[in-house]
Amino acid sequence: MAMTMHDVDRFEASRPRLEAIAYRLLGSASEAEDAVQETFLRWQAADVDHVEVPEAWLTKVLTNLCLNQLTSARARRETYVGQWLPEPLLAGDPMLGPADTAEQRESVSYAVLALLERLSPNERAVYVLREAFDYPHREIARILDITEPASQQILHRAKKHVADGKARTEVDEAAARRIVDEFLAAATSGRTEPLVRLLTQDAVSIGDGGGKVPARAKAFEGALAVAKFLRGLFKPGKAKRDLVGGSPGVYATTANGEPAVVVVLDGRVIGVMCLEVTAEGIAAVRSQVNPDKLERATRRWAAADRGEPLFDAF
């Protein structure tokens, strides 16, 4: 039976929610878009007149596609060059999804997305569906073909794994801007002491270049090591300008709800640095510089007026 415009409209009404689920499950905007498109193709091929609850049907199809993707992604990441980090989403990106509750905001934070990499595919699915989208365990059980008690047990394990990471502090947009301003002032001061004061003792700095942009294969660990790295990173130099092709602009914003530094050259986002803030200070600096993971950020950046940069780097 040919698909009608009404059937297409029903799918499109679900697309934002499906993309937000897929992004949280996969940590990749491009892979999330592919999973949603494949879900549409399944919808197109189905006898949709006999689908009683389209939202439930679409969520089940999408989730299982993502679970298959996560299983293969684990094998791919074993051969990934250097550290693997999620694809960042800039403030205002609809793929960030609902942000009405603390659980929803936390589920899409860069810090938690990194922690979710510790979970099994099923743990990740239960955590995302329950914490970010408030699906009841009864429905999660139907989506994953498990029992309701099993869903509850999986969530308990998943939340424990996530809670074992550092507890982040929620900040609003104004606070995020102050944090980034203070961070950049310390990073460009030419001294390590101001940075050390902003960092927790066990702070880490992780960079994802994907083998396409230079990034250290191992994380920097400890406040002093991170501070020394950041001081060198922000120190001007011809070699850095030659490497990136000019002097990029540095902006303060948020990404995935966290304070972030965005580096832009000729309208192209070439780096997003997310700061994980805790009550004790900045606990992690996660830098995404893999160009494959910055294409959506570049498109979103071009679609809005971001004003003038704080300064030009290098």
Side-chain angles (χ1 to χ4, degrees):
M1 185 179 294
M3 178 157 286
T4 66
M5 281 306 301
H6 174 64
D7 297 328
V8 173
D9 290 342
R10 284 198 292 173
F11 179 86
E12 290 303 324
S14 294
R15 184 183 289 274
R17 179 181 54 82
L18 295 174
E19 287 190 343
I21 291 173
Y23 171 71
R24 283 166 167 83
L25 287 175
L26 300 173
S28 165
S30 59
E31 290 180 5
E33 289 172 340
D34 290 344
V36 172
Q37 186 59 28
E38 179 61 30
T39 302
F40 175 71
L41 295 177
R42 303 285 179 93
W43 173 252
Q44 203 172 31
D47 185 358
V48 296
D49 287 340
H50 289 86
V51 175
E52 293 183 7
V53 185
E55 179 180 321
W57 189 94
L58 292 168
T59 304
K60 183 178 178 68
V61 170
L62 174 81
T63 301
N64 282 284
L65 285 170
C66 289
L67 289 176
N68 292 337
Q69 182 79 356
L70 282 171
T71 301
S72 62
R74 283 175 174 255
R76 290 200 311 274
R77 284 171 196 167
E78 288 179 1
T79 58
Y80 192 82
V81 178
Q83 299 279 340
W84 184 94
L85 287 174
E87 182 175 346
L89 297 182
L90 301 181
D93 193 316
M95 197 176 278
L96 289 169
D100 298 326
T101 68
E103 290 80 11
Q104 289 172 338
R105 293 188 292 274
E106 183 177 71
S107 71
V108 79
S109 72
Y110 217 55
V112 167
L113 285 177
L115 288 171
L116 290 183
E117 288 297 303
R118 302 177 181 180
L119 306 185
S120 70
N122 261 18
E123 286 173 338
R124 189 161 182 163
V126 172
Y127 182 89
V128 166
L129 292 172
R130 180 63 187 157
E131 293 296 291
F133 295 90
D134 203 28
Y135 278 81
H137 284 288
R138 180 180 63 259
E139 194 164 346
I140 295 172
R142 284 200 293 264
I143 290 170
L144 298 178
D145 293 323
I146 58 177
T147 66
E148 192 171 338
S151 176
Q152 293 168 339
Q153 291 172 352
I154 290 170
L155 177 66
H156 178 74
R157 288 200 308 269
K159 290 176 74 172
K160 186 178 185 303
H161 285 309
V162 173
D164 285 343
K166 288 184 172 64
R168 55 190 291 273
T169 300
E170 280 205 70
V171 295
D172 59 24
E173 192 169 340
R177 175 59 187 264
R178 289 195 299 271
I179 290 166
V180 174
D181 285 347
E182 190 175 1
F183 171 79
L184 288 172
T188 57
S189 69
R191 298 181 296 123
T192 57
E193 294 83 358
L195 278 165
V196 169
R197 286 197 294 269
L198 292 179
L199 301 166
T200 61
Q201 287 189 340
D202 58 349
V204 297
S205 178
I206 304 168
D208 179 350
K212 300 185 177 185
V213 173
R216 194 169 188 262
K218 291 183 64 177
F220 290 93
E221 299 181 352
L224 184 58
V226 172
K228 287 181 177 179
F229 163 69
L230 292 170
R231 182 192 64 188
L233 180 66
F234 282 94
K235 185 178 181 180
K238 182 177 182 300
K240 293 173 187 173
R241 291 193 295 273
D242 290 344
L243 178 66
V244 301
S247 295
V250 177
Y251 297 79
T253 185
T254 60
N256 295 74
E258 295 179 321
V261 177
V262 177
V263 184
V264 182
L265 180 66
D266 297 331
R268 180 171 53 91
V269 175
I270 63 171
V272 177
M273 181 179 285
C274 293
L275 309 180
E276 180 185 344
V277 180
T278 70
E280 290 75 36
I282 297 172
V285 180
R286 297 182 176 91
S287 302
Q288 183 56 261
V289 293
N290 182 346
D292 293 343
K293 296 183 182 182
L294 295 172
E295 291 179 359
R296 184 180 178 93
T298 293
R299 294 198 303 270
R300 295 293 305 175
W301 191 266
D305 180 11
R306 307 289 180 169
E308 294 298 315
L310 298 174
F311 59 88
D312 292 330
F314 313 145

